[in-house]
Amino acid sequence: MKNGVMMQYFEWNLPEDGNFWKQLKEDAKHLQEIGITSVWIPPACKGTGTNDVGYGIYDLYDLGEFDQKDTVRTKYGTKEELKEAIEELHKYDISVYFDAVMNHKAGADYTEKFLAIEVDPNNRDAPKSEPYEIEGWTGFNFPGRKGKYSDFEWHWFHFTGTDFNQANGKTAIYEIQGEGKSWADGVDGENGNYDYLMYADIDFDHPEVVKEMKKWGKWVANELNLDGMRLDAIKHINDQYIKEFLDAVREERGQEFYAVGEYWKKDINDLNEYLAAVKYKTDLFDVPLHYNMYSASKKGRDYDMQKLMTDALVTHHPELSVTFVDNHDSQWGSSLESQVESWFKPLAYGLILLMKEGYPCVFYGDYYRIGDNESPHSLIINMLLEARHTYAYGDQHDYFDHPNTVGFVRTGDKEHPGSGLAFLMSNGEDGSKVMNVGKERSGEVWYEFTGNIKDEVTIDDEGNGEFMVEGGNLAVWVKKDK
Ligand code: CA
């Protein structure tokens, strides 16, 4: 996957008109032209309704095929339209990653009665009540699907917790009681034990559940001819299950079946521990780098740019890091709001698209639009994608040596004659930096690819150039007449 680029092909506020799979199909050719090599598609299973982004997941086997939740299609369209979109993407050599929402289920078909205790939301290991009978939404028999693909029916004992007692209308975090039942091991330790996130929380210690979920993983990968998965909310799921699940799907689809997990933590130690626990079988999104970029965008010139890569996942595990600027959760108004300020986005995309390490992911909202608001960044992202595919090859030499102006050199490689670049960004004044692009390049004339700076730079006898950058901007210097 030489210089691959993923696109997260959705944002939170897409229209609910059911036309999205058709739009994706029509866009496949364009995506290839701009240099996208894979897309992460929105969660495609039937949710609680057509206004559900897909994380309120009801039926894993309903990809917009059955009349359930008052609709056949999902927010994005029908299963047939999804299959057509995937076929079209494959025609243009674009891989497709499915958003697998496995932590919970929503919109049960009926209630059941079972024993539960209320727990402290801030410490789920601390009971707030004795066990008593509640009436929870945990019964799933999928009347519209009638057992097609799987006749598995879900009951209260397949879940660890829920958040609503129908008997008295009380909302709380209820830990379901039963022989051997407890919150999962191998989950994030925030709030005591972060197994429970929302809705009816699936119990991955239950053997019937593990068997069924692995069966589903293989089914959906085959049914849609998937190339990989984005694993939702994995800090709330038993890590050993994730490992087992990926082993099962890869046994079916091949070892190259791709996986990236959403483990939303700023702390690199948590990510490092998680990767070790799952034996490095999945990539993770580089959440620490996202937060570094968010801080940099908020603090402006007061942010020390030398720290931008400090304790990023891509610094610790370059081969397992999916670098990204923003996503559907960090965008304004979403649950994990931490949107990188607009002025910094070109710098952020320059960084992730031109550096050697990491598998960069471009956010739909940054490239196209959020709701009706067109993104101002599509032009610069196009340029950076072109620069990535044309020049961003070879080793990287860092110049993170000034609080406001930092950058790196890519040396280029033999397979791409004339490639190589010098990247700079500044969060302060206009600046310049002497960078060495290699003695063998002395005499070459370089220009600034994005058009921000009109001057040219001639590489001296030692291979040095004095490259300039505008304040609050980025600069991408490359050889003229490559
Ligand atoms: Ca869970």
Side-chain angles (χ1 to χ4, degrees):
M1 185 176 44
K2 190 86 178 169
N3 280 4
V5 182
M6 190 188 314
M7 181 180 274
Q8 177 186 359
Y9 202 87
F10 66 102
E11 55 98 8
W12 199 260
N13 305 307
L14 294 172
E16 301 167 25
D17 55 15
N19 288 325
F20 199 62
W21 297 142
K22 284 182 263 183
Q23 176 191 319
L24 175 56
K25 180 184 174 183
E26 282 162 21
D27 208 12
K29 183 167 182 279
H30 164 251
L31 290 173
Q32 187 202 42
E33 284 166 359
I34 63 170
I36 299 298
T37 58
S38 61
V39 293
W40 153 25
I41 60 172
C45 300
K46 180 68 56 71
T48 56
T50 53
N51 61 348
D52 197 310
V53 171
Y55 297 106
I57 183 168
Y58 164 67
D59 185 0
L60 289 155
Y61 289 96
D62 185 353
L63 302 166
E65 181 177 7
F66 304 101
D67 188 0
Q68 301 190 111
K69 300 291 152 196
D70 300 322
T71 174
V72 172
R73 71 167 176 89
T74 66
K75 176 173 180 175
Y76 310 107
T78 65
K79 179 182 180 184
E80 271 317 301
E81 290 161 352
L82 171 58
K83 288 179 98 164
E84 285 176 27
I86 292 171
E87 262 176 48
E88 189 77 359
L89 289 161
H90 283 162
K91 211 158 90 182
Y92 291 99
D93 292 324
I94 296 171
S95 298
V96 177
Y97 305 151
F98 189 89
D99 198 325
V101 184
M102 297 192 281
N103 177 64
H104 51 262
K105 293 178 80 65
D109 297 302
Y110 55 92
T111 59
E112 296 175 315
K113 290 180 177 169
F114 47 85
L115 287 180
I117 57 169
E118 294 174 31
V119 300
D120 181 349
N122 300 315
N123 180 8
R124 280 84 182 282
D125 287 329
K128 281 178 69 184
S129 78
E130 294 296 312
Y132 67 97
E133 187 179 85
I134 71 163
E135 182 183 356
W137 288 91
T138 52
F140 293 79
N141 59 0
F142 314 111
R145 179 158 57 81
K146 300 184 179 65
K148 191 169 180 187
Y149 306 127
S150 168
D151 57 8
F152 191 88
E153 294 185 5
W154 295 77
H155 297 290
W156 64 270
F157 46 83
H158 297 126
F159 300 99
T160 58
T162 187
D163 64 352
F164 187 69
N165 181 4
Q166 185 67 34
N168 62 8
K170 185 174 179 183
T171 297
I173 297 181
Y174 298 97
E175 185 182 3
I176 297 173
Q177 302 294 293
E179 201 186 319
K181 285 196 87 67
S182 65
W183 298 130
D185 294 329
V187 296
D188 180 30
E190 206 178 319
N191 300 317
N193 174 304
Y194 218 169
D195 186 8
Y196 189 82
L197 176 64
M198 57 171 81
Y199 300 113
D201 188 79
I202 292 179
D203 183 355
F204 287 100
D205 289 326
H206 198 299
E208 287 173 14
V209 168
V210 172
K211 191 175 163 209
E212 171 66 7
M213 294 301 281
K214 289 199 288 194
K215 175 184 162 181
W216 170 75
K218 292 185 270 189
W219 174 82
V220 75
N222 285 330
E223 189 78 4
L224 294 177
N225 195 16
L226 300 173
D227 306 287
M229 285 185 186
R230 177 262 186 189
L231 307 170
D232 182 55
I234 54 172
K235 73 176 182 182
H236 309 283
I237 298 175
N238 186 326
D239 50 24
Q240 295 315 296
Y241 162 73
I242 291 293
K243 186 164 119 338
E244 215 181 298
F245 175 82
L246 288 173
D247 284 343
V249 177
R250 284 178 176 143
E251 202 171 293
E252 182 80 13
R253 297 288 295 176
Q255 288 307 308
E256 69 284 1
F257 190 87
Y258 180 74
V260 56
E262 181 218 14
Y263 197 99
W264 196 267
K265 292 289 266 193
K266 289 178 204 183
D267 189 338
I268 186 65
N269 296 318
D270 290 314
L271 271 55
N272 284 337
E273 278 170 29
Y274 185 81
L275 286 169
V278 297
K279 301 274 187 282
Y280 306 97
K281 285 180 187 282
T282 180
D283 287 6
L284 294 178
F285 288 105
D286 198 334
V287 177
L289 180 60
H290 161 74
Y291 276 104
N292 286 354
M293 295 192 287
Y294 174 63
S295 294
S297 79
K298 283 287 187 190
K299 289 182 183 162
R301 68 182 59 206
D302 295 331
Y303 184 85
D304 182 354
M305 292 286 273
Q306 295 169 104
K307 294 183 176 157
L308 197 57
M309 303 307 297
T310 302
D311 283 341
L313 183 63
V314 70
T315 306
H316 285 243
H317 286 289
E319 71 292 356
L320 298 172
S321 168
V322 173
T323 49
F324 70 101
V325 178
D326 269 308
N327 68 20
H328 63 292
D329 280 328
S330 67
Q331 75 183 66
W332 278 322
S334 283
S335 56
L336 307 166
E337 182 177 312
S338 50
Q339 184 168 307
V340 172
E341 293 287 326
S342 193
W343 74 271
F344 196 77
K345 292 228 177 188
L347 286 68
Y349 275 105
L351 178 72
I352 69 167
L353 288 171
L354 301 180
M355 71 179 170
K356 183 179 183 188
E357 306 294 0
Y359 183 1
C361 180
V362 175
F363 177 42
Y364 182 95
D366 288 336
Y367 188 77
Y368 292 102
R369 67 195 69 81
I370 299 273
D372 293 330
N373 297 321
E374 297 295 324
S375 169
H377 304 301
S378 58
L379 193 65
I380 186 69
I381 293 173
N382 275 340
M383 283 184 183
L384 292 167
L385 285 166
E386 190 184 342
R388 175 175 178 81
H389 292 294
T390 311
Y391 301 103
Y393 298 97
D395 289 339
Q396 177 169 325
H397 301 303
D398 283 337
Y399 290 83
F400 283 72
D401 54 359
H402 183 275
N404 299 115
T405 305
V406 297
F408 52 76
V409 165
R410 297 292 305 275
T411 59
D413 66 15
K414 288 201 181 74
E415 293 153 48
H416 304 88
S419 66
L421 59 84
F423 173 69
L424 277 175
M425 49 188 168
S426 164
N427 69 357
E429 308 296 325
D430 291 358
S432 69
K433 196 182 287 292
V434 176
M435 298 164 96
N436 191 289
V437 298
K439 221 170 178 172
E440 71 284 0
R441 312 197 68 149
S442 76
E444 285 183 8
V445 176
W446 285 37
Y447 78 109
E448 204 280 309
F449 186 74
T450 69
N452 285 332
I453 294 171
K454 301 298 173 202
D455 304 27
E456 294 179 345
V457 169
T458 302
I459 309 302
D460 74 12
D461 291 348
E462 297 302 313
N464 290 321
E466 185 175 357
F467 300 104
M468 290 150 277
V469 61
E470 281 183 338
N473 215 329
L474 81 167
V476 182
W477 293 87
V478 298
K479 180 178 185 286
K480 205 176 166 187
D481 309 319
K482 174 186 181 296

